[in-house]
Amino acid sequence: MLHWDASVMMPAGAGDSRAEELATLAMLGHRELTDPALARLLEAGLAEQEGLDPWRRANLREMAERRRHAVALPDDLVEARSRAASAAEMAWRQARADDDFALLAPHLDRVLGLTREAAAAKAAVLGLAPYDALVAEYEPDVDSAAIDRLFDQLAARLPALLERVEERQSREGEVAALAAVPVEAQRVLGRRLIAALGFDSERGRLDDSLHPFTGGHAGDVRLTARYAEGDFTDGIMAVLHECGHALYEQGLPADWRGQPVGQARGMMLHESQSLFVEMQLARGRPFLGYLAGLLPDVFPTGSAPRPKDLVRHVQRVSRGFIRVEADELTYPFHVMLRTRLERAMLAGDLVVGDLPGVWRDGMRDLLGVVPPDDRQGVLQDIHWPDGAFGYFPTYTLGALAAAQLYRAADAALPDLDRQIADGDFAALIGWCRANVHAHGSRLTGPELLQAATGAPLSADAFLDHVERRYLG
Amino acid sequence: MLHWDASVMMPAGAGDSRAEELATLAMLGHRELTDPALARLLEAGLAEQEGLDPWRRANLREMAERRRHAVALPDDLVEARSRAASAAEMAWRQARADDDFALLAPHLDRVLGLTREAAAAKAAVLGLAPYDALVAEYEPDVDSAAIDRLFDQLAARLPALLERVEERQSREGEVAALAAVPVEAQRVLGRRLIAALGFDSERGRLDDSLHPFTGGHAGDVRLTARYAEGDFTDGIMAVLHECGHALYEQGLPADWRGQPVGQARGMMLHESQSLFVEMQLARGRPFLGYLAGLLPDVFPTGSAPRPKDLVRHVQRVSRGFIRVEADELTYPFHVMLRTRLERAMLAGDLVVGDLPGVWRDGMRDLLGVVPPDDRQGVLQDIHWPDGAFGYFPTYTLGALAAAQLYRAADAALPDLDRQIADGDFAALIGWCRANVHAHGSRLTGPELLQAATGAPLSADAFLDHVERRYLG
């Protein structure tokens, strides 16, 4: 809630006191988790786990995992990481505004140092490579080897696919710009759409923030969006993305609210749900037909796009500089670059001062474009200043899982496209509730994907989806 | 911040989870305060206090006082009080909406039981009477004897004064109703007024809530108000009242931010600052002249009240049922009633089930009016459901202190009324900063009042003020 407040409500001058508050809470939470009394209770529980039902067993597993992560770090390192991240985040805002990487560099260096310290400490306790120990903070079911295998699958087919799509779209000619839509009308449309998808606004709310995100918890989900008058799809697609996260939270098992097993298992599944809604559902032809039908209420008279034009606009592929604006074909390259660079930083093979240049070189290699400044390059993301190393891969893992889940839902639900075109999402979201949300952390990510889709995670469904949507 | 959020932003269905969060934080905070390691550090500090400067000595005194309050209560009683208060608060909302005291009664009974338990435990440790131990949670410098003495002073002169004022105002005839003002225009006016008074909106913000309050802390003060189209003075006077609280918070000594001595000493002084701004300053003739000058921007063309009419409207005295709508002459009677009843409940002389009837009798005795229903009677205040027994007297203590402080400021600042009429509050608020805010908790309430006004707290200045404003 304090994080949400900091992005949505907090006055500009309160950053320092909020940083103190967050560091204090991080330290207190860490102290609870590392309390020896908890260790004794956990051991006693684990000793009797054979007799327990699967939910209680999984609950113990989740508790033990959090405790293992916590005890690896001393209290003062937890507090120092929180404090350094807050300071770096503030420096990042200034650096980005001024396009001046030098303002961020010393702060990022401090965050990196503390992150490496934490990674080494966790690696020793968890028996993982240091980078994998960080990934496990966000996604416990994936390691570098799995990331490499999946990213290699993508790297083998995606570049050629991208070129074919670009060729085809350039043959089809320019896409006309959309008319402007007042921000307040977009807010109303966003509320209407999340209600249609099943978001319960008695247990959550939608607000504005500079960077869209979902915070809070299952009992009180806070999602945010940011709207631009010029292109309403930016804001609305962000609302729908966050709504996927929010529906996951609201669908978590109510009986286990507040228990570890009642929470989302990891960021791969979380991102799979946001991308399920945004990329698989909302950027597809049936949903865009439904959306186009709502637009005459929203656009100034006569200026609403036709369904065909909306599809072309939303499915336009282009090699840009900015990750959060990327289409689903180029997005994985942005993630690959960041994953490569953060692994190099962690390993000590790349120093903070060299980041801007290495970033530009990486963009040239992977996407063939070079950002004209650091604001559109290395300064675009909050993650590293925030200390979130090991987070980026989960975006692409989530995209792969989303495609695989959507394929399974589509196979299970007859008549799905017509329901969607009619604005009826009950069956589709119901499928997610039953097959993903309701499990909480009872199943691991791989177990859940196997149960829901009949196959382990791979890039196949994603690549097939891309081929069908953009070249079919 | 969670309390603020609950009143301003939280969705309706999140009350249960918020209650859990607040109870957990209350318990963790209590555990920190009762940690034996803290006792050893405090003892060591107190042993060396002779060599310390007054700020550090006062800081130790504040720490020891909080710890004494905390150790009197076991962890589970703290958590149970927080939980019972949250449940009672929710029941109170329903009971008030339905005008059904029976819905609240069992919850209030539970809160009262836990409060009596806490009072007894604190009384033993602090060497105070049980009621005084509760008063000391809000106002450490006042006890029942002082309250009785001051309230007796009021009771001796106020009823006759009230009658004389009523007589005079009834001779002057009806006050014309004000034209309606759109709520958004009132919000803008509220922001303009708090800025004029020196509120720093880089370190705080003004929002809407059902019941106006000030929350947050010195680094991030959150004030709220509630506006009614029909009478703009309700909302604006609430904004000004809360602004007094907010200015106090923002004026606390920055060097001691986050330390006990850097915080407000007690609710008597806090309330003195809100009433200093609302009652002493803003309901006075010079300020109302300034305010009337702003109103043509706010009211529909030609409908803004003239200064004279605004003064009559704002200074109108009447015997009503609702405390928060009461004028400064009848307000103390509302407080006397509540103080009498909560003392009786604490002592075991009054049971919850008898409250509605005793309330009506009390209103008849004190003000000669009887509320037609419980909604306008015993159900109007959140304090008892919230577990805040011992809080009510601070409103009237604050009113007395405000009058005494304003008299001193007026004596010290030549030309004050003209400055106020010109909308220049720098000298007046500067006087509060120097004589009240900047002290934090370095001085006790009585020490501060003596230093700032040259006299101990009494009802004299308040009674003189009333006589001058309403009969002068």
Side-chain angles (χ1 to χ4, degrees), chain B residues 38-39 53 57 127 137 143 155 159 161-162 167 174 177 190-191 200 217 227 248 309 316 320 322 338 381 404 407 472:
Chain B
L38 179 62
D53 64 57
R57 257 205 321 273
E137 289 183 359
D143 61 13
L161 269 174
L162 174 58
E167 212 173 288
E174 287 293 299
R191 293 217 160 76
D200 173 6
H217 55 73
Y227 308 91
Y248 187 12
D309 295 330
R316 191 73 180 177
I322 306 294
R338 288 154 178 78
D381 292 313
Q404 197 165 320
R407 183 163 68 179

Side-chain angles (χ1 to χ4, degrees), chain A residues 1-2 4-5 8-14 17-18 21 25 28 31-32 35 201-205 207 217 219-220 222 257, chain B residues 1-2 4-5 8-14 17-18 21 25 28 31-32 35 201-205 207 217 219-220 222 257:
Chain A
M1 283 294 155
L2 291 181
W4 172 86
D5 180 85
V8 179
M9 302 301 289
M10 190 181 80
S17 56
R18 181 56 50 90
E21 291 155 12
L25 284 172
L28 285 173
R31 200 186 282 175
E32 291 293 309
D35 187 334
S201 55
E202 286 286 293
R203 295 190 294 131
R205 49 180 295 148
D207 294 280
H217 55 72
D220 187 0
R222 307 285 175 99
R257 174 120 1 122
Chain B
M1 283 295 155
L2 291 181
W4 172 85
D5 181 85
V8 179
M9 303 301 289
M10 191 180 79
S17 56
R18 181 55 50 88
E21 291 155 11
L25 284 173
L28 285 173
R31 199 187 282 174
E32 292 292 310
D35 188 335
S201 54
E202 286 285 294
R203 296 190 292 131
R205 49 179 296 150
D207 294 281
H217 55 73
D220 186 0
R222 306 285 175 100
R257 172 117 7 118

Side-chain angles (χ1 to χ4, degrees), chain B residues 385-434:
Chain B
D386 226 20
F389 288 74
Y391 189 102
F392 282 119
T394 66
Y395 289 118
T396 290
L397 298 173
L400 307 189
Q404 197 165 320
L405 288 165
Y406 198 89
R407 183 163 68 179
D410 193 28
L413 302 170
D415 201 29
L416 179 61
D417 282 356
R418 210 185 45 92
Q419 289 171 27
I420 293 171
D422 290 346
D424 174 5
F425 311 108
L428 183 65
I429 302 301
W431 188 91
C432 288
R433 289 225 173 89

Side-chain angles (χ1 to χ4, degrees), chain B residues 40-239:
Chain B
R40 287 190 295 274
L41 287 166
L42 252 180
E43 258 170 58
L46 288 165
E48 292 174 32
Q49 66 176 315
E50 291 311 316
L52 297 177
D53 64 57
W55 283 98
R56 288 189 167 75
R57 257 205 321 273
N59 205 16
L60 283 169
R61 180 198 68 210
E62 295 295 310
M63 291 178 195
E65 205 158 295
R66 285 185 204 197
R67 194 178 139 78
R68 264 199 308 277
H69 271 272
V71 295
L73 305 183
D75 277 357
D76 55 357
L77 180 56
V78 171
E79 213 177 329
R81 273 179 98 187
S82 175
R83 232 180 272 275
S86 293
E89 189 182 319
M90 282 189 277
W92 169 75
R93 288 187 199 287
Q94 196 57 50
R96 201 162 95 130
D98 298 355
D99 187 31
D100 185 354
F101 182 75
L103 291 179
L104 173 64
H107 292 280
L108 185 54
D109 202 51
R110 164 119 182 102
V111 168
L112 175 60
L114 292 167
T115 305
R116 292 183 69 192
E117 203 180 313
K122 288 198 173 187
V125 170
L126 301 171
L128 295 171
Y131 183 68
D132 289 351
L134 295 179
V135 170
E137 289 183 359
Y138 308 105
E139 178 43 62
D141 299 316
V142 171
D143 61 13
S144 302
I147 293 170
D148 286 339
R149 183 175 51 77
L150 293 161
F151 284 15
D152 286 350
Q153 258 193 289
L154 289 174
R157 277 180 62 193
L158 206 49
L161 269 174
L162 174 58
E163 278 180 28
R164 284 171 59 205
V165 172
E166 287 176 318
E167 212 173 288
R168 176 172 175 156
Q169 294 195 343
S170 87
R171 270 203 314 275
E172 291 170 354
E174 287 293 299
V175 177
L178 298 175
V181 177
V183 164
E184 185 50 33
Q186 296 186 39
R187 286 197 191 99
V188 171
L189 176 62
R191 293 217 160 76
R192 182 167 173 185
L193 290 171
I194 66 176
L197 284 163
F199 179 74
D200 173 6
S201 54
E202 286 285 294
R203 296 190 292 131
R205 49 179 296 150
L206 169 60
D207 294 281
D208 291 2
S209 76
L210 204 56
H211 303 280
F213 71 97
T214 300
H217 55 73
D220 186 0
V221 183
R222 306 285 175 100
L223 59 156
T224 71
R226 177 191 186 181
Y227 308 91
E229 278 214 342
D231 184 346
F232 88 101
T233 64
D234 285 354
I236 288 301
M237 287 297 155
V239 168

Side-chain angles (χ1 to χ4, degrees), chain A residues 369-399:
Chain A
V369 296
V370 179
D373 52 36
D374 289 335
R375 193 201 310 245
Q376 295 176 80
V378 68
L379 286 175
Q380 69 184 269
D381 292 312
I382 198 178
H383 300 60
W384 292 336
D386 227 17
F389 287 74
Y391 188 102
F392 282 119
T394 66
Y395 289 118
T396 291
L397 299 171

